[in-house]
Amino acid sequence: MVVLTGAGISAESGVPTFRGPDGLWGRYRPEELATPEAFARNPLRVWEWYAWRRELIARAEPNPAHQTLAEMEAALPGFLLITQNVDGLHQRAGNRRVVELHGNLWRVRCPRERQVWEDHRVPLPELPPRCPTCGAFLRPDVVWFGEPLPPEEWQHAMEAAREAEIFLVIGTSGIVEPAASLPRLARVHGAYLVEFNLEDTPLTPLMDEIWRGPVSETLPRWWARFQRGK
Ligand code: NAD
């Protein structure tokens, strides 16, 4: 069982998605915030946005959909969770086999020395935060638009997609590439695909099974049914 999650799974924990009616992109322009160019131009503005998101996520709790994925991992030896989310809520729910395609905003990176470490301070003492060794502005250890995915994580995700028997696609708009190509890869290699979303996405036509509605309700129901059917 392989699972791909997107921002929709954290929406019911109070973490805004990027797209959709309450999406972040309605209020902020992505090219002003989530690109290396934006960071070079105005690191303070980019960091103010991440500091706001860190505060919001620090107050958020994993919801029943996150908890169901933790139960699945405990029950299924071949389970792997691939996430596009950067909020760390899957790990807080108890998942350990997690491939983070887009990094994690609880890690910072020194662009000069290429060191990465965890930083959970909320609020951060100074914005933008600086590298304690060399003084350079740190950046969040996340993947911005136009940047490549971390190669090891991407390889691992592709292998899992190829080997999956069941592939769940949860709360993702299916338009951010290359992550959106994983369900296609799984399909080509014979996986049974299930989508959990509020609405249709470009991935919907690939699906064997579709669950519409808030994922905190649909996923626990699907999992209960799956266990009965085993
Ligand atoms: P997206 O914002 O593009 O799409 C969210 C999807 O979730 C939509 O299809 C929406 O219909 C669905 N959705 C919203 N609420 C739902 C609910 N309660 N139940 C079921 N489905 C629901 O998100 P994406 O596809 O993950 O791609 C955007 C990028 O945004 C990713 O790269 C990710 O790194 C980043 N992001 C992450 C977070 C986070 O870490 N929590 C938040 C916002 C954006």
Side-chain angles (χ1 to χ4, degrees), residues 7-17 22 24 27 52-53 55-63 66 87 89:
I9 196 169
S10 297
E12 290 167 82
S13 295
V15 182
T17 59
D22 301 321
L24 286 167
R27 281 172 283 161
W52 171 73
R53 291 176 67 198
E55 282 181 32
L56 198 137
I57 293 163
R59 288 195 303 269
E61 294 293 337
N63 66 55
H66 295 105
D87 56 31
L89 287 175

Side-chain angles (χ1 to χ4, degrees), residues 26-107:
R27 281 172 283 161
Y28 305 97
R29 282 158 33 98
E31 58 273 22
E32 282 175 14
L33 295 166
T35 67
E37 294 75 23
F39 187 70
R41 213 166 36 238
N42 196 338
L44 179 59
R45 185 196 300 205
V46 173
W47 262 112
E48 281 171 347
W49 186 55
Y50 279 97
W52 171 73
R53 291 176 67 198
R54 285 165 61 109
E55 282 181 32
L56 198 137
I57 293 163
R59 288 195 303 269
E61 294 293 337
N63 66 55
H66 295 105
Q67 284 150 9
T68 300
L69 293 178
E71 282 175 35
M72 286 184 188
E73 179 175 312
L76 304 171
F79 179 91
L80 186 74
L81 173 52
I82 304 167
T83 188
Q84 301 167 81
N85 293 347
V86 297
D87 56 31
L89 287 175
H90 287 307
Q91 290 87 340
R92 277 175 52 197
N95 282 102
R96 292 294 169 266
R97 296 203 289 277
V98 184
V99 174
E100 292 181 319
L101 291 181
H102 293 165
N104 189 306
L105 50 61
W106 299 111
R107 291 192 303 262

Side-chain angles (χ1 to χ4, degrees), residues 5-12 15-21 23-25 53 57 83-89 102 105 143 145 170-176 196-201 211 213-216 218:
T5 63
I9 196 169
S10 297
E12 290 167 82
V15 182
T17 59
F18 277 5
R19 298 177 187 81
L24 286 167
W25 291 144
R53 291 176 67 198
I57 293 163
T83 188
Q84 301 167 81
N85 293 347
V86 297
D87 56 31
L89 287 175
H102 293 165
L105 50 61
V143 177
F145 290 101
I170 301 178
T172 175
S173 58
I175 53 180
V176 176
F196 298 84
N197 204 306
L198 296 176
E199 55 191 29
D200 281 5
T201 72
W211 289 63
V215 66
S216 70
T218 54

Side-chain angles (χ1 to χ4, degrees), residues 162-177:
R162 282 192 210 103
E163 289 168 12
E165 285 175 28
I166 303 177
F167 194 100
L168 309 184
V169 182
I170 301 178
T172 175
S173 58
I175 53 180
V176 176
E177 291 291 354

